Amino acid sequence: MAQEQLAFYVDLDSCTGCKACQIACKDKNDLDLDIMWRRVLEYSGGDWTMQGEAWLTTAFAYSVPVSCMHCEEPPCVDVCPSGGLTKRDADGVVLIDQDKCLGCRYCEWSCPYGAMQYDSDAGKMTKCDFCADYLAEGLAPACVDACPMRALDYGPLEELRAKYGDLDEVAPLPEAALSSPAVVFGPHREARPAGSDAGRVSNLEEV
């Protein structure tokens, strides 16, 4: 268990799906086009029905920014055969040692959030490192600073829970019990629970 688990906060009601966080992450880390450490899922569903002379709708949509959740019980660390993935004792940030990474992709298969990204040129795995270099300088992660709606925040997990609540799962993401993700979600009025089949990810070609 980390001494002080760092976590992200995501205010689903404020997120507009603009993808500024995604762009800031790619720019800061100089990522190739096909590597995305932060993605924005668009989840939507519902239908239109005729009642009398009126059309009524149950349509809904919301965006869910996703990156590595720096899980309290990260399955990626457990399956890594080389010890290339570790969870930092001081703050719980999950990091990849590129010198030890074999590129076997076991971590990719084990991650319930799709956070592990394979660099085919290097033959190595990559992922969000919580902007560890920025943290060392006392700065916020690039994605947090880039959000124009201030829908992203970060800090010690227990402090975020005390401030925002303890919601840590939402559709289309999996149930939190799989890995105990270090994340807190601010609820969206239309949000569906994890495991719901009421909608679908409508921007699969982007994520």
Side-chain angles (χ1 to χ4, degrees):
M1 182 68 70
Q3 297 173 23
E4 185 178 65
Q5 176 67 56
L6 278 183
F8 284 111
Y9 168 70
V10 182
D11 183 354
L12 298 175
D13 204 39
S14 295
C15 178
T16 63
C18 72
K19 302 179 180 64
C21 58
Q22 181 175 304
I23 294 168
C25 177
K26 289 184 74 71
D27 179 60
K28 187 265 179 186
N29 296 291
D30 195 25
L31 302 179
D32 288 343
L33 184 63
D34 60 342
I35 297 177
M36 291 190 291
W37 291 0
R38 181 168 283 282
R39 297 163 293 132
V40 181
L41 309 179
E42 297 172 5
Y43 189 69
S44 60
D47 206 346
W48 289 85
T49 58
M50 187 73 171
Q51 289 193 7
E53 298 297 320
W55 282 95
L56 302 179
T57 184
T58 58
F60 68 90
Y62 57 93
S63 297
V64 184
V66 182
S67 70
C68 174
M69 298 296 191
H70 301 278
C71 302
E72 294 188 89
E73 301 172 15
C76 60
V77 173
D78 291 339
V79 303
C80 180
S82 67
L85 274 160
T86 56
K87 185 173 175 64
R88 202 156 63 176
D89 290 336
D91 55 16
V93 171
V94 177
L95 299 172
I96 298 179
D97 184 337
Q98 292 294 319
D99 291 333
K100 293 182 179 179
C101 178
L102 304 175
C104 66
R105 306 181 77 162
Y106 287 175
C107 57
E108 180 182 11
W109 302 329
S110 72
C111 177
Y113 298 101
M116 314 305 297
Q117 301 280 298
Y118 183 66
D119 183 339
S120 58
D121 291 334
K124 305 279 187 176
M125 298 307 301
T126 69
K127 61 178 287 296
C128 159
D129 62 2
F130 222 118
C131 287
D133 53 343
Y134 280 9
L135 293 178
E137 298 177 23
L139 302 175
C143 58
V144 173
D145 272 349
C147 179
M149 300 303 293
R150 295 296 177 257
L152 293 176
D153 196 2
Y154 81 105
L157 179 58
E158 291 308 314
E159 290 185 14
L160 294 179
R161 285 173 173 167
K163 185 176 182 180
Y164 299 115
D166 59 4
L167 180 63
D168 58 2
E169 58 179 36
V170 64
L173 304 182
E175 295 181 356
L178 286 173
S179 61
S180 300
V183 66
V184 175
F185 291 110
H188 187 282
R189 62 190 179 279
E190 299 286 359
R192 299 316 196 249
S196 171
D197 60 359
R200 63 182 181 86
V201 176
S202 54
N203 64 330
L204 282 175
E205 71 282 358
E206 296 178 355
V207 298

